[in-house]
Amino acid sequence: MASTNPFKDILASLPKPEGGEFGKYFSLPALNDSRIEKLPYSIQILLESAIRNCDNFQVTKNDVEKIIDWQNTSPKQVEIPFKPARVLLQDFTGVPAVVDLACMRDAMNRLGGNSNKINPLVPVDLVIDHSVQVDLARSENAVQTNMELEFQRNKERFAFLKWGANAFHNMLVVPPGSGIVHQVNLEYLGRVVFNNGGILYPDSVVGTDSHTTMIDGLGVAGWGVGGIEAEAAMLGQPMSMVLPGVVGFKLSGKLCNGVTATDLVLTVTQMLRKHGVVGKFVEFYGEGVGELSLADRATIANMSPEYGATMGFFPVDHVTLQYLNLTGRSHETVSMIEAYLRANNMFVDYNEPQAERVYSSYLELDLSSVEPCISGPKRPHDRVLLKEMKADWHSCLDSKVGFKGFAVPKESQNKVVKFDFHGQPAELKHGSVVIAAITSCTNTSNPSVMLGAGLVAKKACELGLEVKPWIKTSLAPGSGVVTKYLLKSGLQQYLNQQGFHIVGYGCTTCIGNSGDLDESIATSISENDIVAAAVLSGNRNFEGRVHPLTRANYLASPPLVVAYALAGTVDIDFEKEPIGTGKDGKSVYFRDIWPSNEEVAEAVQSSVLSDMFKSTYEAITKGNPMWNKLSLPASTLYSWDANSTYIHDPPYFKNMVMTPPGPHAVKSAYCLLNFGDSITTDHISPAGSIHKDSPAAKYLLERGVDRKDFNSYGSRRGNDEIMARGTFANIRIVNKLLNGVVGPKTIHIPTGEKLSVFDAAMRYKADEHETIILAGAEYGSGSSRDWAAKGPMLLGVKAVIAKSFERIHRSNLVGMGMIPLCFKPGEDADSLGLTGYERYTIDLPSNISDIRPGQDISVVTDDGKSFVCTLRFDTEVELAYFDHGGILPYAIRNLINSP
């Protein structure tokens, strides 16, 4: 590497304090360039990667200069290549990635290349973050029963991933039951600094889930990408990205008593949403950062997708090193990390004068100004102060249907629905809590809020308060470490008494795996049009995601989840109204059960121990009995089972030849769907349970799968037939072609028939008609799901015309060979008079060299309308992908042609 790198002269030795050396590293100070000292820490990581990987082919000296001159170049939207140090795959996104790798090996074999070239060239960490259905929530044996059920349902998928770990080099698979991928990444996988063959460099990671950003709290640059882009990175392709602006977010002061990290992150999320940070890095600095625990930082970093940033970065300081020691990293490793970062001026030491870093824009927050809050009822950035919640709830009942409205008539707002719950009287009102879940990677990695929840449960138990039995309660820790410290503290028993039994280690309610509500509750909600509520410690509360029957969904800290479960409603003023009546007959108020910061700190100090992390993660390498029993073939080419409903050979490379197909224009295409603003990947990508009347259900029934064995879309992400049928199948989707009717249908324009989206798309394909999608602002916001792009491609969609795109989703559309176009500022489908019933022609040059990133493209309709859009291929590399028909065919052809 050093012999071919034009920066080989700055390769320096990093000595150990006791003699010898840790290894060699590319020294940024050795460049003697004053601009580097002022760069944000996050940009320095991009710079080091470019220098270390500079070969004047994939990464050039000019690319390095662009990054050094960041202050001048970043406003110009310049393109740079980036090679992350590793790739992180989560179970649901990992399966299609391994399917694609297996499929690429087949294609390479068929085209006469060496199929064994298809191997990850950078380390790949794949965590089987199995999603846990919480049907057994109030059960002492939920963990074991859920694990057995998961292996019974997903044996084939797990065996496939175990095969992948053996068939592909450089891939570590963490078995199921270990924890949520992002918490495992934080506590175990994050290197902070790599030592690879004696070369030291900063850890950086791209992951196939948008909450990969959680690792930014550890000083590791990481963000979510689509599975498609991650696969290309695994295969040695540099990621092409626009050099981002960096928002400097200064923190001062410290949090007041009773304020949690969740309150802080919801406040930060709202501030950054208002500021506008899409496509940018956010870097936190100031004395207030030193007051935050590593877990608090990780909580803020985790929610980067919710505030729209590529990442929210916390540089490494003494708090980071303390956390590394706590979580079981070796003393030598931590010494090496500190020595390397200090040598390269990437370490923040609050005992020394701080060099003034330059940022693109600035924000500031005094931590003492943060107040208790929640977010909802439909979006993570719609923050509501706890003291204003009751008034806000009544405003939502009154307001027209929208992000902050349910349009419940005044005369219906106070109705009470009485029903029988397993022999005891029960009742529901608008705002009644029916799901209360301590869940998701955002908060379950944070001991202060998890132990805080336990303290609330303990105080409630001691006063005689109980959660109503018809509220579906659950606790899904992010890793086994949480269970250890909840047990050590003695607080788990109180959580159990309130119904918050541990259901497993993985994504639950936040991803829609709430399970069915009791039939009596479901019927009462449906037949009486009750606006029922879910309260969860998650990061996503988009409509239809948590549960089809909870129209109001609020994000809250774990202790607040317990408090709302005890109250049984979100229609309460915690400052003035009692939560319930204690065993002494007196009213119990919120203040009576809420722990002080000192109580929480004492619990953390005495219960969260280093040995817990070591013992939890030592067990990972040993697997578990169910995992170890899985049998698998030894072949490096996968034996596809045509009858499998879990793992299927996708059609991406069926007709692939060595010559790239070139650009494709779109001729006389029909509009498959016409959307407004804020269509998320939850609307597009198959997620959650498979509805009994959906095309995917029909497919499974035709193949003899019982409804009880449908499992979830996530668990079947390795089968393109099911995923294509589940694309745009969200029950809350609003398609303008249906004139306001909500549901996963569309109009087949040639016949006027109302069909499922899949059936309409297949009709168009059978008749050889191309299709496009019209959309509003922020199209594709939400989780970074590759199927939100793969699905539309398989449905035959050739282009999406939107007001704006979420960053990852736009990239994924390009990766699957589709054309992203943006309406000009101030224009959209409505202002242009487009109904979606027109036919659309998008003329592109037939030669890729005649197309340039961001150029104007004319769109013409069959009724005589013409308008200009911006072509959202943002880089030359993206144009190359388009020329090849997508990123994966491009990678295969490159590998075949490589020596």
Side-chain angles (χ1 to χ4, degrees):
M1 178 175 59
S3 61
T4 60
N5 191 308
F7 292 96
K8 63 181 183 298
D9 292 342
I10 64 166
L11 198 62
S13 174
L14 185 68
K16 291 182 178 181
E18 66 276 14
E21 68 173 31
F22 287 113
K24 301 280 195 297
Y25 71 103
F26 285 89
S27 169
L28 301 186
L31 288 170
N32 293 318
D33 194 318
S34 60
R35 293 173 296 177
I36 295 175
E37 296 170 12
K38 296 181 179 179
L39 289 177
Y41 290 96
S42 49
I43 298 299
Q44 285 187 327
I45 292 176
L46 301 184
L47 174 62
E48 191 282 337
S49 174
I51 288 172
R52 177 168 36 86
N53 290 294
C54 188
D55 58 1
N56 275 330
F57 175 60
Q58 288 187 326
V59 183
T60 68
K61 289 185 74 172
N62 188 43
D63 294 321
V64 172
E65 172 58 27
K66 287 178 189 175
I67 302 172
I68 293 175
D69 200 32
W70 169 85
Q71 192 174 351
N72 295 313
T73 53
S74 63
K76 299 174 184 175
Q77 297 286 292
V78 301
E79 168 199 356
I80 61 159
F82 175 59
K83 286 195 168 190
R86 61 189 171 99
V87 172
L88 180 68
L89 301 177
Q90 178 249 18
D91 176 13
F92 284 177
T93 46
V95 170
V98 179
V99 165
D100 289 352
L101 286 174
C103 192
M104 290 172 76
R105 273 198 175 164
D106 292 346
M108 181 82 100
N109 209 37
R110 181 171 52 80
L111 291 167
N114 177 4
S115 61
N116 285 326
K117 280 187 177 181
I118 305 291
N119 260 314
L121 298 179
V122 301
V124 174
D125 299 321
L126 195 161
V127 180
I128 302 186
D129 175 2
H130 68 130
S131 290
V132 180
Q133 293 284 350
V134 294
D135 296 321
L136 301 157
R138 291 201 171 192
S139 167
E140 292 283 3
N141 64 347
V143 175
Q144 183 62 24
T145 307
N146 270 322
M147 181 67 86
E148 289 170 359
L149 185 61
E150 283 295 300
F151 267 85
Q152 177 189 323
R153 285 175 166 177
N154 302 305
K155 182 179 178 181
E156 184 182 349
R157 189 170 98 244
F158 293 165
F160 175 70
L161 291 175
K162 192 173 179 182
W163 167 83
N166 288 339
F168 298 105
H169 305 307
N170 225 4
M171 183 182 288
L172 168 69
V173 174
V174 177
S178 304
I180 297 173
V181 56
H182 309 304
Q183 188 160 343
V184 174
N185 193 25
L186 186 76
E187 295 175 349
Y188 178 65
L189 296 172
R191 280 72 154 182
V192 185
V193 173
F194 262 90
N195 186 340
N196 187 357
I199 299 295
L200 309 177
Y201 52 91
D203 187 6
S204 58
V205 59
V206 292
T208 52
D209 186 282
S210 54
H211 292 105
T212 300
T213 53
M214 188 171 187
I215 199 67
D216 303 333
L218 194 67
V220 175
W223 59 87
V225 297
I228 306 144
E229 199 173 3
E231 288 166 32
M234 285 158 51
L235 294 167
Q237 295 298 316
M239 288 175 49
S240 181
M241 61 184 288
V242 172
L243 186 61
V246 183
V247 178
F249 199 127
K250 185 176 183 179
L251 297 176
S252 59
K254 62 187 298 185
L255 295 174
C256 292
N257 197 37
V259 177
T260 68
T262 316
D263 301 322
L264 171 58
V265 73
L266 294 178
T267 304
V268 167
T269 297
Q270 187 182 49
M271 288 178 67
L272 287 168
R273 269 281 174 185
K274 184 178 179 181
H275 187 74
V277 293
V278 172
K280 297 185 174 76
F281 289 174
V282 176
E283 186 165 295
F284 294 89
Y285 70 103
E287 316 83 62
V289 174
E291 296 292 332
L292 296 179
S293 70
L294 198 291
D296 288 355
R297 300 175 187 187
T299 303
I300 295 169
N302 178 287
M303 281 189 77
S304 296
E306 283 66 48
Y307 44 83
T310 302
M311 68 174 179
F313 187 75
F314 289 83
V316 174
D317 63 5
H318 67 287
V319 174
T320 322
L321 301 181
Q322 289 167 4
Y323 182 82
L324 292 171
N325 283 313
L326 171 69
T327 51
R329 274 74 165 195
S330 72
H331 175 72
E332 179 163 348
T333 296
V334 177
S335 297
M336 180 265 290
I337 289 169
E338 181 176 7
Y340 169 82
L341 293 173
R342 284 186 181 277
N344 244 350
N345 291 339
M346 292 178 169
F347 186 84
V348 178
D349 191 332
Y350 293 103
N351 295 319
E352 297 175 359
Q354 299 296 302
E356 192 67 30
R357 305 273 161 167
V358 175
Y359 296 106
S360 309
S361 61
Y362 296 82
L363 279 175
E364 186 168 353
L365 174 66
D366 181 347
L367 295 175
S368 66
S369 69
V370 176
E371 297 183 64
C373 56
I374 62 177
S375 279
K378 301 179 184 182
R379 295 191 300 187
H381 51 282
D382 289 335
R383 185 174 69 103
V384 186
L385 291 178
L386 203 60
K387 63 187 181 186
E388 298 171 0
M389 179 56 195
K390 189 177 179 76
D392 192 82
W393 171 252
H394 284 275
S395 171
C396 288
L397 291 179
D398 289 333
S399 299
K400 67 180 183 180
V401 174
F403 295 123
K404 293 288 288 185
F406 298 105
V408 176
K410 281 282 190 189
E411 63 274 14
S412 303
Q413 289 184 9
N414 295 317
K415 73 176 169 184
V416 179
V417 176
K418 296 186 180 296
F419 64 99
D420 178 87
F421 181 77
H422 299 282
Q424 59 181 301
E427 64 178 41
L428 289 177
K429 303 175 183 177
H430 294 302
S432 288
V433 174
V434 295
I435 293 173
I438 299 174
T439 179
S440 98
C441 48
T442 306
N443 289 293
T444 60
S445 68
N446 195 322
S448 65
V449 290
M450 296 300 284
L451 289 165
L455 288 167
V456 170
K458 179 176 186 284
K459 290 172 183 284
C461 288
E462 290 170 346
L463 290 167
L465 293 187
E466 288 184 353
V467 175
K468 298 290 190 297
W470 56 83
I471 296 176
K472 191 163 199 176
T473 46
S474 61
L475 167 58
S479 80
V481 176
V482 181
T483 300
K484 287 184 170 69
Y485 66 64
L486 283 174
L487 289 170
K488 173 81 167 65
S489 67
L491 295 174
Q492 184 62 56
Q493 62 173 311
Y494 300 107
L495 287 164
N496 289 347
Q497 285 182 47
Q498 298 295 352
F500 289 94
H501 293 283
I502 293 174
V503 296
Y505 305 96
C507 298
T508 57
T509 305
C510 198
I511 192 65
N513 281 357
S514 312
D516 293 335
L517 293 177
D518 187 88
E519 191 174 337
S520 62
I521 299 171
T523 302
S524 299
I525 293 171
S526 301
E527 292 184 354
N528 297 280
D529 201 24
I530 290 291
V531 183
V535 183
L536 64 152
S537 64
N539 43 45
R540 296 280 164 80
N541 56 340
F542 300 124
E543 199 171 12
R545 178 184 176 106
V546 171
H547 195 283
L549 294 177
T550 59
R551 286 156 63 192
N553 301 284
Y554 285 94
L555 305 182
S557 66
L560 269 180
V561 170
V562 179
Y564 272 109
L566 290 161
T569 181
V570 296
D571 185 7
I572 184 172
D573 183 340
F574 277 143
E575 287 193 351
K576 300 174 182 174
E577 297 177 77
I579 284 177
T581 304
K583 58 189 176 187
D584 59 1
K586 294 180 181 178
S587 293
V588 177
Y589 289 85
F590 180 78
R591 58 182 173 270
D592 298 325
I593 62 171
W594 198 256
S596 68
N597 284 16
E598 289 74 23
E599 287 177 282
V600 173
E602 194 281 326
V604 172
Q605 185 71 29
S606 61
S607 306
V608 184
L609 308 175
S610 183
D611 285 347
M612 295 176 177
F613 293 91
K614 290 177 182 174
S615 61
T616 297
Y617 288 110
E618 279 171 1
I620 281 180
T621 55
K622 299 173 185 174
N624 59 61
M626 287 179 275
W627 173 261
N628 293 337
K629 285 179 187 174
L630 293 173
S631 60
L632 57 152
S635 171
T636 58
L637 290 176
Y638 190 70
S639 300
W640 305 98
D641 178 0
N643 297 317
S644 172
T645 57
Y646 278 97
I647 308 296
H648 186 260
D649 185 7
Y652 311 135
F653 312 111
K654 291 291 187 230
N655 300 312
M656 181 180 167
V657 294
M658 279 302 295
T659 305
H664 60 80
V666 177
K667 301 292 184 185
S668 200
Y670 284 102
C671 178
L672 180 63
L673 293 149
N674 183 4
F675 291 130
D677 294 344
S678 297
I679 291 294
T680 72
T681 49
D682 284 303
H683 293 113
I684 306 167
S685 181
S689 58
I690 297 173
H691 194 273
K692 61 184 175 62
D693 298 323
S694 65
K698 181 182 176 185
Y699 174 88
L700 289 170
L701 290 169
E702 286 172 351
R703 280 150 187 80
V705 179
D706 292 336
R707 190 187 167 202
K708 65 180 176 60
D709 296 322
F710 277 5
N711 216 331
S712 63
Y713 280 114
S715 64
R716 295 186 181 274
R717 283 176 94 154
N719 189 313
D720 58 284
E721 295 280 4
I722 289 170
M723 298 303 281
R725 285 164 172 79
T727 301
F728 298 113
N730 186 296
I731 62 169
R732 296 289 179 192
I733 207 163
V734 178
N735 172 15
K736 292 181 185 177
L737 294 178
L738 297 179
N739 296 319
V741 178
V742 179
K745 303 275 187 180
T746 196
I747 301 297
H748 180 251
I749 292 169
T751 62
E753 288 182 75
K754 184 179 176 182
L755 301 172
S756 72
V757 177
F758 176 79
D759 289 341
M762 293 305 102
R763 186 86 64 87
Y764 284 126
K765 286 186 84 170
D767 295 335
E768 298 186 348
H769 293 312
E770 295 183 330
T771 55
I772 64 149
I773 289 171
L774 295 176
E778 298 180 343
Y779 182 74
S781 57
S783 298
S784 54
R785 297 199 181 120
D786 53 340
W787 273 111
K790 287 179 175 177
M793 186 276 285
L794 291 174
L795 295 182
V797 174
K798 300 299 180 186
V800 180
I801 309 175
K803 285 176 71 175
S804 62
F805 292 95
E806 190 273 340
R807 175 185 64 86
I808 300 171
H809 185 61
R810 186 206 60 80
S811 172
N812 280 350
L813 292 175
V814 175
M816 292 312 295
M818 286 173 281
I819 305 169
L821 293 166
C822 275
F823 292 108
K824 287 296 181 181
E827 294 184 347
D828 59 19
D830 291 342
S831 70
L832 293 168
L834 304 173
T835 65
Y837 283 85
E838 308 86 354
R839 299 183 74 171
Y840 294 78
T841 295
I842 303 167
D843 275 321
L844 284 177
S846 57
N847 194 319
I848 198 69
S849 62
D850 295 328
I851 306 175
R852 65 185 186 280
Q855 77 178 63
D856 286 347
I857 295 290
S858 291
V859 182
V860 180
T861 64
D862 62 334
D863 62 355
K865 293 187 180 72
S866 178
F867 55 97
V868 175
C869 290
T870 302
L871 182 65
R872 285 299 310 278
F873 295 127
D874 289 358
T875 65
E876 295 291 341
V877 171
E878 289 188 343
L879 284 175
Y881 295 157
F882 183 58
D883 187 43
H884 280 258
I887 197 168
L888 299 182
Y890 172 87
I892 288 179
R893 291 187 181 102
N894 270 12
L895 284 169
I896 288 177
N897 290 324
S898 67

